Amino acid sequence: MSKLGLSVDEVLTTTRAVRKRLDFDRPVDFSLIRECLELAVQSPTGSAGQFWHFVMVDDPDKRKALGDLYAKAWPIYAEQPFSIYNLHANDPEMKPIAARAADSAAYLGENMGRAPWLMVPVLNGRYEGATADLAAGLYGSILPAVWSFMLAARERALGTCWTTIHLMFEREAADILGIPYEEYTQVALVPIAYTKGTDFKPAPRKDLDLFIHRNGW
Ligand SMILES: Cc1cc2nc3c(=O)[nH]c(=O)nc-3n(C[C@H](O)[C@H](O)[C@H](O)COP(=O)(O)O)c2cc1C
């Protein structure tokens, strides 16, 4: 598969959370996944630790089992005050955007296991109760790699969506994948598939000036 030839800025502004436009019926060769991983591991890690693993799943039974876990987590997440349904309820600017995202997210809730590949990025160790500085160092040592993977995937006409709610049932996911739960922490579940069409646009975001602080808070 040739690359799309997007500029860096285009990749950065059009790598969306893809759900309804994932093509579940088109196989993705592992060589392409490996290419994205080669780029992902160029990401920074604290103390050059490379505390990461990437469990790549195309086994149909395991994908279905992970998809079932995700589907089980979805209604529990939806009830939370911070869910995409509730978080923006009183924000007129975000409400319509969130409603579209919620519709798309519910679709993924039902179809996660159909993606030709699922990626579970894993951090060495377990960190329940970690101090904020440790947690920042640890998660900061794998999340850039996951995002790099997603950017590299976008350039290769693959869509991805960062998800985390299966972690409510992390131990069950560990059992499905044979991950030693006491020694490793899963950080996400990312569906990977070719996208239906390759045109994606920058997303609406709140006014940047709300978030910029120059020389202090
Ligand atoms: C830490 C994190 C957790 C997320 N968890 C989920 C999830 O469990 N399910 C889901 O459908 N999307 C999840 N998302 C995707 C967000 O909903 C998405 O990034 C956001 O709506 C912006 O999408 P956009 O860039 O296409 O506008 C998550 C994103 C992040 C960064």
Side-chain angles (χ1 to χ4, degrees):
M1 171 74 200
S2 59
K3 296 199 266 175
L4 296 180
L6 302 173
S7 71
V8 172
D9 286 8
E10 283 168 334
V11 170
L12 289 170
T13 52
T14 65
T15 302
R16 299 270 67 80
V18 186
R19 304 180 184 97
K20 287 190 170 177
R21 289 178 61 187
L22 294 172
D23 188 344
F24 296 132
D25 299 321
R26 187 170 167 197
V28 177
D29 198 88
F30 184 69
S31 61
L32 209 52
I33 302 285
R34 197 184 161 88
E35 225 173 273
C36 296
L37 286 170
E38 292 277 11
L39 295 166
V41 296
Q42 290 296 316
S43 304
T45 49
S47 307
Q50 297 179 76
F51 315 107
W52 50 34
H53 290 269
F54 305 92
V55 183
M56 311 306 299
V57 186
D58 71 338
D59 176 272
D61 294 339
K62 291 183 181 180
R63 282 187 292 133
K64 178 174 183 325
L66 290 172
D68 288 348
L69 270 193
Y70 191 83
K72 185 163 80 165
W74 179 255
I76 302 170
Y77 158 80
E79 292 298 316
Q80 311 281 336
F82 52 78
S83 80
I84 192 100
Y85 294 104
N86 298 325
L87 186 63
H88 307 286
N90 299 316
D91 181 341
E93 187 189 349
M94 284 300 295
K95 208 173 168 179
I97 298 167
R100 275 197 302 280
D103 181 48
S104 142
Y107 172 82
L108 185 62
E110 289 166 14
N111 291 286
M112 176 66 89
R114 295 175 59 205
W117 287 95
L118 296 174
M119 170 167 71
V120 179
V122 173
L123 196 53
N124 294 2
R126 292 213 64 88
Y127 305 100
E128 280 84 358
T131 54
D133 61 317
L134 181 62
L138 290 161
Y139 282 92
S141 290
I142 189 163
L143 302 189
V146 180
W147 184 234
S148 285
F149 179 97
M150 294 162 87
L151 296 172
R154 162 69 176 133
E155 169 59 8
R156 286 157 181 78
L158 299 174
T160 57
C161 181
W162 200 304
T163 83
T164 47
I165 62 173
H166 91 285
L167 297 173
M168 285 178 217
F169 304 110
E170 185 191 351
R171 196 183 281 274
E172 288 175 52
D175 288 344
I176 293 165
L177 299 173
I179 299 169
Y181 176 84
E182 308 297 342
E183 296 163 51
Y184 295 93
T185 303
Q186 300 167 52
V187 304
L189 173 65
V190 180
I192 304 158
Y194 281 106
T195 52
K196 295 177 183 168
T198 57
D199 57 316
F200 289 86
K201 295 187 172 48
R205 295 288 192 248
K206 290 189 174 189
D207 180 359
L208 176 60
D209 285 325
L210 290 170
F211 308 114
I212 297 180
H213 308 269
R214 291 180 63 161
N215 299 319
W217 192 258

